Amino acid sequence: MNERMDTLVDPMEAAAGEAAELLKSLGNPGRLRILCALVPGDKTVGELEAATGASQSYVSGQLLRLRAEGLVACDREGRSMRYRLSDPRVRPLLERIYELFCPDM
Amino acid sequence: MNERMDTLVDPMEAAAGEAAELLKSLGNPGRLRILCALVPGDKTVGELEAATGASQSYVSGQLLRLRAEGLVACDREGRSMRYRLSDPRVRPLLERIYELFCPDM
DNA sequence: CAAATACATTTTGATATTCCAATATTGAAA
DNA sequence: TTTCAATATTGGAATATCAAAATGTATTTG
């Protein structure tokens, strides 16, 4: 395998790495539900707890991870934190996932 | 949280679980590249090794996993095994991933 | 049958993830 | 400033994943 071959394979390698990173974040039911809950609009941590049925520390922890990855962002709002989707690639991906897995919801 | 609430949350829960399972499979660069390599058409293990640059045992191992999850299927062809995508949800998902991560390939 | 080719499987050690429980922090209100 | 409500963080145990290495199995060819 020579270098011309490597440079040929490389861009795919990079794209696959990036894509896999994002897909891995979506590849957990809890995180997926949190992100889905944010599609219709921004929500506070408490609202996300209610929407997903998960515990406070779980939701907060996953939000922290999603924030570190740039998938969500937040602003303080009184004593609450309001989260929103912040990666432009998440919404179109979630749309297709909706089509495939939630055909009638 | 009463039972009416549970039955209300349940379908989402189930869909999220299914979707997350599939996304987790795509959430690994090696597997993602294998699946992408199968989009244009079926391939043997050897062809997939060449297409992805990964080792034989790695490719074969991932194919085994993907097969167990129903994402790919295979038929023997002489001394080779020809693999193909077998889950109808994979191709549309990969298409969108292409659009998002490989805008010019 | 023997050798070669193409895959499959198992093992292993390292690392990562998951999720809960407990505790800490922060901001607003009293 | 004390207190409460909302969110953040940490610790830990169980489990899962990753990828390489070594070995095993099936199929064709000579």
Side-chain angles (χ1 to χ4, degrees), chain A residues 54-74:
Chain A
S55 75
Q56 186 273 318
S57 86
Y58 181 75
V59 172
S60 183
Q62 297 302 342
L63 285 170
L64 199 71
R65 171 183 171 158
L66 294 171
R67 220 167 69 194
E69 292 171 317
L71 303 194
V72 303
C74 61

Side-chain angles (χ1 to χ4, degrees), chain B residues 5-94:
Chain B
M5 183 77 184
D6 283 356
T7 56
L8 222 88
V9 169
D10 214 30
M12 273 306 228
E13 194 70 44
E18 266 191 79
E21 199 183 331
L22 173 54
L23 290 166
K24 182 149 52 170
S25 289
L26 305 193
N28 168 281
R31 281 193 299 273
L32 188 55
R33 294 203 62 190
I34 290 174
L35 291 169
C36 283
L38 289 174
V39 167
D42 310 349
K43 285 196 174 50
T44 66
V45 177
E47 288 167 345
L48 288 170
E49 283 177 60
T52 67
S55 75
Q56 186 273 317
S57 89
Y58 180 75
V59 172
S60 183
Q62 297 301 343
L63 285 170
L64 199 70
R65 171 184 172 157
L66 294 171
R67 221 167 69 194
E69 292 171 315
L71 302 194
V72 303
C74 62
D75 298 295
R76 182 166 287 285
E77 187 180 280
R79 62 181 94 186
S80 297
M81 281 295 223
R82 181 160 294 272
Y83 279 82
R84 62 178 185 277
L85 297 181
S86 67
D87 185 312
R89 298 164 306 185
V90 170
R91 202 180 296 268
L93 213 46
L94 288 180

Side-chain angles (χ1 to χ4, degrees), chain A residues 26-69:
Chain A
L26 306 193
N28 168 280
R31 281 193 299 273
L32 187 55
R33 294 202 62 189
I34 290 173
L35 291 169
C36 284
L38 289 174
V39 168
D42 311 349
K43 285 197 175 49
T44 67
V45 178
E47 290 168 344
L48 287 170
E49 282 177 60
T52 66
S55 75
Q56 186 273 318
S57 86
Y58 181 75
V59 172
S60 183
Q62 297 302 342
L63 285 170
L64 199 71
R65 171 183 171 158
L66 294 171
R67 220 167 69 194
E69 292 171 317

